[in-house]
Amino acid sequence: MNATSDYYSDPSFTILKVPTWRAHFYKFLSIDIWGNLPGNFQRKVSAWYSSFYDKPVSKKIIRPYIRLNYSDKNYLEKFKPPYGKTNFESFQDFFIREFKSLPKNESPYVWPCEGLLCDADTVHDLNLVQIKSDTRSVATVFGLKEGQIPKDYTFTNVFLHNKNYHRIHSPINGTISRIQHVPGDLVVLRPWIYKENPSLPAFRNERYNIDVIDDNGRTWYISIIGGPAVGTIELSENINVGNKVKRLQELSLFYLGSTCCMAAPVSPKNHTKNTFVEVGIPY
């Protein structure tokens, strides 16, 4: 499967065709075994696992990883190390790489991230999800009550594979009206093991919710969701309630693993479920 644009990134990856029985088994391990462990324990294990990628020796993985995962062998030339560094000093530096330049177009709405669009539907048509003993609506993802998001809004879920660019950007010009941290689990994010509901982890995992009001007074709801091996989700500089953001201004970054959900007053014009999207291209 390929991306739907000729932009300079390389968001596509192999989507595993997992047999139903195996998907159910993986889901059982993720939800019923790992997901029932205490959240603090999940985070400690994830932090321990991810700590290797902060070590200088891990930078030796970068070149082989690029050869294995990207069709463009000069892929790294499009990026720069984070925090003003002159070199990638660890694999984590590569993981949170920055584009040297972001795309330029006239579209008022753009995708905030890159990855697989694994879910896309109106809020009205989305199914309720059973989490342990609770029934939850899509508003739960964004830390809201049912009915607070208009039913004609479009819900999208972009799964970010390990190979994807892991910074999240504002899809619009607007003003931040709410920031919320939701503690939760860190269950596996891979959408192909949740065949009935690829967005299931978004309803229960740890996340940051950011609401942005556009120039027409409409609220765009963005949820930045962590998964196993996520060291942390870090909000970017000047991302505070009341601050204005520009289209493509960085909102946050992930230290390993992630999904980004959005509830928007308009529907994607160029993408459908199970296609790849890229940061900054027209929504």
Side-chain angles (χ1 to χ4, degrees):
M1 186 179 295
N2 296 316
T4 55
S5 79
D6 295 323
Y7 182 48
Y8 57 24
S9 188
D10 190 358
S12 61
F13 51 83
T14 301
I15 300 174
L16 298 180
K17 295 182 179 180
V18 181
T20 299
W21 70 266
R22 188 176 296 173
H24 287 164
F25 176 66
Y26 291 157
K27 178 182 175 182
F28 171 77
L29 293 178
S30 173
I31 300 297
D32 298 300
I33 303 299
W34 172 257
N36 278 322
L37 296 173
N40 287 340
F41 178 79
Q42 293 178 20
R43 281 183 281 278
K44 285 180 181 178
V45 172
S46 294
W48 170 80
Y49 172 82
S50 63
S51 65
F52 167 76
Y53 297 102
D54 286 317
K55 300 182 187 301
V57 67
S58 68
K59 69 181 179 182
K60 295 182 179 179
I61 302 173
I62 297 174
R63 290 295 177 183
Y65 189 84
I66 290 172
R67 287 196 297 270
L68 182 64
N69 288 282
Y70 303 95
S71 57
D72 182 0
K73 303 310 176 186
N74 295 317
Y75 176 81
L76 197 59
E77 299 304 314
K78 301 159 188 171
F79 299 91
K80 59 184 178 181
Y83 306 124
K85 295 181 180 180
T86 56
N87 296 295
F88 293 96
E89 299 173 0
S90 66
F91 188 82
Q92 190 68 269
D93 280 352
F94 167 71
F95 196 84
I96 58 171
R97 59 197 177 274
E98 298 181 43
F99 271 115
K100 290 179 179 177
S101 62
L102 287 164
K104 295 178 175 61
N105 59 65
E106 299 302 319
S107 175
Y109 319 126
V110 297
W111 285 101
C113 58
E114 72 171 40
L116 174 69
L117 180 59
C118 63
D119 216 353
D121 209 340
T122 62
V123 170
H124 174 73
D125 292 330
L126 285 164
N127 295 325
L128 298 175
V129 172
Q130 191 74 22
I131 304 293
K132 297 180 180 178
S133 60
D134 297 329
T135 301
R136 304 181 183 181
S137 69
V138 68
T140 306
V141 173
F142 304 95
L144 300 170
K145 295 180 180 179
E146 186 173 3
Q148 287 187 274
I149 298 176
K151 291 184 177 181
D152 60 348
Y153 268 44
T154 297
F155 172 83
T156 55
N157 180 353
V158 178
F159 166 67
L160 283 67
H161 188 274
N162 292 340
K163 67 167 281 185
N164 290 131
Y165 169 78
H166 272 71
R167 293 174 183 262
I168 310 298
H169 297 258
S170 176
I172 55 168
N173 294 328
T175 303
I176 298 173
S177 60
R178 183 181 68 118
I179 297 176
Q180 177 193 41
H181 175 240
V182 179
D185 295 325
L186 294 175
V187 300
V188 175
L189 295 170
R190 262 58 177 176
W192 43 85
I193 73 172
Y194 307 105
K195 289 182 177 291
E196 297 84 4
N197 191 332
S199 294
L200 177 61
F203 286 82
R204 60 181 294 164
N205 276 17
E206 182 171 6
R207 53 201 179 273
Y208 270 96
N209 294 319
I210 301 176
D211 298 352
V212 181
I213 300 176
D214 67 17
D215 295 336
N216 295 314
R218 303 171 301 182
T219 301
W220 292 59
Y221 303 93
I222 303 161
S223 189
I224 303 157
I225 300 154
V230 175
T232 187
I233 303 170
E234 181 179 297
L235 296 183
S236 304
E237 187 177 1
N238 295 322
I239 301 304
N240 299 299
V241 173
N243 284 5
K244 292 188 178 299
V245 289
K246 296 286 189 180
R247 186 185 60 128
L248 278 180
Q249 182 175 334
E250 186 181 300
L251 298 178
S252 72
L253 62 86
F254 288 96
Y255 290 86
L256 297 178
S258 53
T259 282
C260 181
C261 292
M262 188 162 65
V266 296
S267 300
K269 301 299 183 185
N270 304 300
H271 301 86
T272 57
K273 184 176 178 177
N274 292 328
T275 58
F276 288 97
V277 302
E278 300 172 80
V279 62
I281 65 173
Y283 172 85

